[in-house]
Amino acid sequence: MSPIKPSHSNDAQPQQPQRRQLLAAAATLGVAPWLLSACASAATSPAVAPKAAGMRRKIGPFEVFPVGLGCQWRPGAAPGVIVDSYSSSFDRAAAIRLIRQAVDQGVTFIDTAEAYGPFLSEDIVGEALQGIRNKVVLETKFGFDIDQVTGQRLPGGRNSRPEHIRRVVDAQLKRLRTDHIDVLLQHRVDPNVPIEDVAGTIKDLVRAGKVRHYGLSEPGLQTVRRAHAEHPMAVIQNEYSMLWRGPESGVLPLCEELGIGFVCWSPLGMGFLAGGVNAASRFVAPDFRAISPRFAPDVLPANMALADLVRTWAQRKNATPAQLSLAWLLAQKPWILPIPGTTNAAHMTENLGAASISFTADELRQLNAAVAAIRIQGDRLPPAVAVMSGAEAPPKR
């Protein structure tokens, strides 16, 4: 099986917040596609990445390194500049170096999407993986109504019509410079297309050799069952971290029941869990946190109790806050994979160190109880974006 790759990690002290890669800054429903990727973060002094040999976990049909890499970027305001959803920036050459360095250090799972850019992130990933494509599990996504020639977002919002999926996949294969996609995800459930039609189309793409496996992102539970019955799913990708534990109530038990792997986007809580936010932090668009209710000035001071807890436990485990947060995710289930993103190679290396951190049964009980005792204030997403999570596909007529 292909192995997985690492991702980005921590940042500076709370008084020196470092912007991290993650969800795209989108204030409107039309920009929502940028939401679906892995989180960026901040930390203290970077730790040394572990040796990847022998460090694997089974995610669906894949055996991968325990930390993946999320690649979610878009063009900046200036020519040649590439930015993430937290205003961090670099250029194309640096992005390619970061991906190749991640693979060199053992990362074997890379996530991206047509909506990230649109198209830009897939194009960068495709270039970076030339010559090393067979070393990674490559995951990308479809599901928004994007013109495949111009990249323009069309009024339809979501689009998972079978003919559109086929056009998207052909375009993705060209951008990614590969003959197959290891995991193809529906970015968000389409309220107008039965999931049986979506899964059936992907089944055809699997037969054609263009796609190996598939999954859903932020789906409704019944949609998961229906899709899995049509064609077995490999993974579900949802937001999950100590800052947002929603999947524990329904999605994770369902994954365990059906044998589906779970990929976590925003595993560092948009930098919050990595030490990149403090009570006085204020965010301005296009930073996505400017429209995220849990980062609002009136609730942020109360929510810092969780950041304080993470920092305390990180010191106890001789780790950085980002590493501690990722290790907590890895400890919840053996089939969970976090995919943090970053524009900083040192953060990426630091994140990989989470794979070397373990908890005793008593430590994990203590930490879980302490996290559960903190009530996070503010919704995780603005209403226009939240409405797309947990959606159920229409019935098959």
Side-chain angles (χ1 to χ4, degrees):
M1 298 290 181
S2 305
I4 200 178
K5 359 177 65 174
S7 91
H8 90 240
S9 74
N10 355 29
D11 86 331
Q13 301 294 335
Q15 57 268 38
Q16 300 174 314
Q18 188 121 23
R19 310 171 194 101
R20 318 277 289 146
Q21 162 184 355
L22 179 30
L23 314 174
T28 65
L29 183 60
V31 186
W34 288 322
L35 290 181
L36 321 168
S37 190
C39 133
S41 48
T44 54
S45 54
V48 176
K51 293 195 180 298
M55 302 186 74
R56 294 289 183 270
R57 58 177 38 207
K58 197 167 188 302
I59 307 298
F62 305 107
E63 290 186 6
V64 297
F65 185 78
V67 181
L69 177 65
C71 298
Q72 181 185 4
W73 305 306
R74 55 191 170 86
V81 174
I82 297 169
V83 300
D84 64 15
S85 296
Y86 304 113
S87 306
S88 287
S89 64
F90 56 177
D91 60 23
R92 186 183 183 95
I96 290 170
R97 285 196 302 272
L98 180 119
I99 293 169
R100 295 187 69 89
Q101 181 177 339
V103 176
D104 287 344
Q105 294 185 17
V107 170
T108 59
F109 192 103
I110 294 180
D111 172 89
T112 189
E114 64 156 349
Y116 304 155
F119 305 160
L120 176 66
S121 294
E122 285 185 331
D123 190 56
I124 292 172
V125 169
E127 182 175 351
L129 293 182
Q130 290 304 287
I132 55 174
R133 168 67 182 90
N134 64 349
K135 293 184 177 183
V136 305
V137 173
L138 180 56
E139 176 179 87
T140 192
K141 313 178 199 69
F142 71 92
F144 288 95
D145 203 8
I146 300 172
D147 186 290
Q148 294 304 295
V149 176
T150 67
Q152 179 183 0
R153 299 176 186 276
L154 303 174
R158 285 164 279 179
N159 187 346
S160 287
R161 294 190 302 275
E163 64 274 16
H164 184 73
I165 295 174
R166 295 187 186 97
R167 284 196 297 270
V168 170
V169 168
D170 284 344
Q172 288 176 316
L173 291 172
K174 291 178 181 178
R175 288 191 293 269
L176 292 166
R177 308 181 196 194
T178 185
D179 62 355
H180 71 279
I181 295 166
D182 295 304
V183 187
L184 181 67
L185 293 183
Q186 184 187 43
H187 215 152
R188 288 296 187 269
V189 170
D190 190 326
N192 299 309
V193 180
I195 199 64
E196 291 82 2
D197 292 351
V198 175
T201 301
I202 295 174
K203 186 192 301 185
D204 292 341
L205 292 169
V206 171
R207 290 184 183 128
K210 296 180 179 182
V211 173
R212 297 282 174 83
H213 300 278
Y214 86 110
L216 306 178
S217 181
E218 299 279 339
L221 299 184
Q222 293 309 309
T223 295
V224 172
R225 291 189 181 278
R226 291 164 52 197
H228 194 68
E230 182 70 24
H231 188 67
M233 293 171 52
V235 302
I236 288 175
Q237 184 179 127
N238 279 30
E239 181 179 5
Y240 183 38
S241 71
M242 282 190 271
L243 186 63
W244 171 248
R245 297 178 65 181
E248 296 174 357
S249 64
V251 176
L252 292 182
L254 184 58
C255 284
E256 191 154 34
E257 174 191 339
L258 299 178
I260 298 172
F262 187 85
V263 177
C264 315
W265 66 265
S266 195
L268 295 174
M270 306 181 195
F272 180 90
L273 297 171
V277 177
N278 62 40
S281 295
R282 298 295 180 265
F283 306 101
V284 178
D287 192 311
F288 179 77
R289 292 168 294 189
I291 58 170
S292 178
R294 61 190 173 188
F295 289 96
D298 59 331
V299 302
L300 196 51
N303 291 342
M304 292 308 299
L306 179 58
D308 294 340
L309 175 68
V310 170
R311 188 161 46 250
T312 298
W313 271 84
Q315 292 170 351
R316 175 174 172 176
K317 299 297 290 183
N318 194 28
T320 65
Q323 290 172 335
L324 187 284
S325 301
L326 295 172
W328 178 85
L329 282 169
L330 295 174
Q332 299 309 303
K333 297 290 181 182
W335 35 265
I336 286 177
L337 172 71
I339 52 166
T342 188
T343 60
N344 187 301
H347 293 158
M348 180 275 296
T349 297
E350 178 191 343
N351 284 342
L352 303 190
S356 298
I357 299 170
S358 61
F359 301 94
T360 66
D362 188 55
E363 284 177 331
L364 192 57
R365 279 194 297 270
Q366 290 180 41
L367 181 53
N368 282 342
V371 172
I374 297 172
R375 189 175 77 84
I376 298 299
Q377 300 184 25
D379 295 334
R380 69 169 177 132
L381 298 171
V385 175
V387 71
M388 294 190 294
S389 294
E392 300 287 2
K396 175 76 171 175
R397 302 292 182 187

